[in-house]
Amino acid sequence: MELVEITEGKARILIPRAARIYDAPVFYNPVMALNRDLSVLALRVLSPKRVLDALSATGVRGIRYALETPAREVWLNDIKPEAFELILKNLRLNFGADAAGAGDMRELATGDRKLVATRADANGIMGRAFRYFDFIDLDPFGSPMEFLDSALRSVRRRGALGITATDTGVLCGAYRNACRRRYLAEPVRGYLCHEAGLRILLGSAVRYAAKYDLGMEVLLAYYRDHYFRAFLRLTSGAKRADKSLGELGYLYMTGKWEFEYEKSFLPTRSNAHGPMWLGPLKDKGFVEKMVELAGSELASGKSLPFLRLLSEELDVPFHYDTHVMAGAIGTTVPKVSAVIQELRELGYSATRTHFSPTSIKTTAPPSAVVDVIRVVSGR
């Protein structure tokens, strides 16, 4: 395996040389640098002591956690022998010493930090560490659901999870039966598929956590490129679990762009999409702290602008696509900025949304949005 050295954040990382990233024996995706940037910022706010990167591959995420966050104990795990050996090399590259021990578990002490590298099934590692970690990161290739139960038992009852789902086709309705199997939910196609897919992922996490009398607060959840990402803080107790379940509900598509939604444990009518999370997609104070803590070491130049967009975005369920609406009502396509300005002048809240560059989020009723699009398009 021929290796090349790259830099991401404060970490120096050896990665396999390959014509395509999917051909490499150990996976490293440079596009996910933004994901890892935001994860570093989230951990700076959360300040967890013990962290598990359950599916480490090259180790870049866990090493960045060790170098760039307050974490004092970071575990890096991968089941592949090639990945485990590469993690050990990258630990040596960044911390100047070999990890002690033999076999499939090695340990490296550096200053006041402890780094643990393991080669094991992720569910096995978490199953042997009951209520041990303050933060667990699940960043698999595909769905995180096969690891979520183990993570909920391994994380402390007031700890936090970071979960990534790259099976966007499943969550967005292209593979309806797969969504039913993995997430026990009915997906939706069309322009709302990405927001609905993210909310289905969150809803599934809430239902899994409720089994253990755990509630869940969404600190930040977003869609980007080919994946969904969420930072979730657990809350302990049956009442808190019930409160989280109370934020579940269903989406109904009533036209080409028209929609309705309801908070309900069970749907009250046919053609329901869900169940899905209809609560907030962010804790505004948490995201604002992430923005404050962002420094020059961010690996992607897109990270801070994207984070600011998330911070400023109106946090209400679902959005309106101006292109879809203009086509449905027979007008020219208006400028998004003009629609937002007009809605604000009418007294409504309105912002852009990260789900689509042609969409808006607003507190205005559908009829008002239609009227504004007609007015703006006719100018």
Side-chain angles (χ1 to χ4, degrees):
M1 181 167 58
E2 183 182 358
L3 302 174
V4 295
E5 182 180 324
I6 57 100
T7 300
E8 183 180 303
K10 291 184 177 180
R12 298 163 60 199
I13 301 295
L14 297 171
I15 64 171
R17 185 187 295 277
R20 301 187 315 143
I21 59 173
Y22 299 103
D23 295 331
V26 182
F27 188 68
Y28 171 81
N29 189 350
V31 172
M32 295 295 272
L34 182 147
N35 177 312
R36 293 185 285 268
D37 278 348
L38 268 57
S39 300
V40 164
L41 295 176
L43 261 66
R44 288 181 185 173
V45 180
L46 289 169
S47 297
K49 180 181 177 182
R50 295 169 175 163
V51 173
L52 169 65
D53 180 17
L55 304 147
S56 291
T58 63
V60 58
R61 187 182 298 268
I63 289 172
R64 289 193 64 184
Y65 286 163
L67 292 172
E68 302 175 39
T69 80
R72 289 292 175 263
E73 183 176 328
V74 179
W75 289 51
L76 303 89
N77 175 72
D78 204 284
I79 196 170
K80 292 182 65 175
E82 303 94 333
F84 180 63
E85 292 302 322
L86 190 52
I87 288 169
L88 295 176
K89 289 179 181 178
N90 282 324
L91 288 174
R92 184 186 311 118
L93 178 64
N94 283 274
F95 300 101
D98 288 317
D104 294 339
M105 184 172 183
R106 314 287 178 89
E107 188 174 311
L108 174 63
T110 171
D112 57 352
R113 284 180 170 82
K114 181 169 78 170
L115 305 174
V116 181
T118 56
R119 185 178 76 85
D121 176 80
N123 283 321
I125 283 289
M126 292 185 286
R128 294 191 293 273
F130 183 73
R131 299 280 177 255
Y132 185 78
F133 296 103
D134 301 293
F135 179 84
I136 293 178
D137 205 314
L138 300 177
D139 187 38
F141 184 80
S143 172
M145 299 310 289
E146 66 178 289
F147 306 107
L148 188 54
D149 249 335
S150 297
L152 287 166
R153 291 192 295 270
S154 186
V155 73
R156 293 168 65 90
R157 289 188 69 85
R158 291 178 177 82
L161 299 175
I163 59 174
T164 302
T166 62
D167 57 339
T168 51
V170 173
L171 284 161
C172 291
Y175 306 100
R176 180 183 181 186
N177 289 337
C179 189
R180 289 173 168 179
R181 290 195 308 272
R182 293 179 192 171
Y183 300 97
L184 300 177
E186 186 71 29
V188 64
R189 297 301 302 272
Y191 81 94
L192 287 179
C193 71
H194 292 116
E195 181 167 355
L198 177 60
R199 292 182 180 277
I200 286 173
L201 172 66
L202 296 173
S204 296
V206 165
R207 285 180 288 151
Y208 268 56
K211 295 185 299 183
Y212 304 108
D213 287 343
L214 291 170
M216 199 167 279
E217 296 175 358
V218 178
L219 299 173
L220 177 61
Y222 65 88
Y223 161 73
R224 177 80 185 191
D225 297 323
H226 62 289
Y227 67 91
F228 298 107
R229 178 69 166 165
F231 299 99
L232 308 170
R233 180 159 51 200
L234 301 180
T235 58
S236 184
K239 289 184 178 179
R240 290 183 173 89
D242 292 341
K243 182 180 178 181
S244 294
L245 289 174
E247 296 287 352
L248 299 183
Y250 297 86
L251 169 69
Y252 301 90
M253 297 305 299
T254 56
K256 290 183 178 179
W257 61 267
E258 300 98 323
F259 62 84
E260 296 175 4
Y261 61 88
E262 64 173 351
K263 287 187 179 179
S264 175
F265 189 73
L266 296 174
T268 60
R269 56 191 184 194
S270 59
N271 298 317
H273 300 281
M276 62 180 70
W277 173 258
L278 294 177
L281 294 182
K282 66 184 176 187
D283 178 306
K284 188 166 177 59
F286 181 84
V287 180
E288 288 175 348
K289 287 180 182 177
M290 289 176 64
V291 173
E292 291 173 8
L293 294 173
S296 59
E297 74 281 358
L298 295 179
S300 171
K302 299 177 181 178
S303 296
L304 188 53
F306 182 66
L307 188 58
R308 285 179 173 147
L309 173 62
L310 294 174
S311 178
E312 295 164 2
E313 183 175 332
L314 185 64
D315 197 3
V316 295
F318 306 112
H319 56 276
Y320 297 99
D321 189 300
T322 57
H323 283 212
V324 174
M325 292 180 72
I329 64 179
T331 68
T332 58
V333 176
K335 289 186 177 180
V336 172
S337 58
V339 174
I340 290 173
Q341 181 180 344
E342 186 73 18
L343 287 168
R344 288 175 176 173
E345 289 177 358
L346 292 172
Y348 301 110
S349 297
T351 67
R352 291 182 178 271
T353 173
H354 78 282
F355 288 107
S356 167
T358 61
S359 293
I360 63 167
K361 288 209 168 194
T362 181
T363 56
S367 59
V369 180
V370 170
D371 291 343
V372 165
I373 287 179
R374 285 198 173 108
V375 169
V376 172
S377 299
R379 288 176 180 167

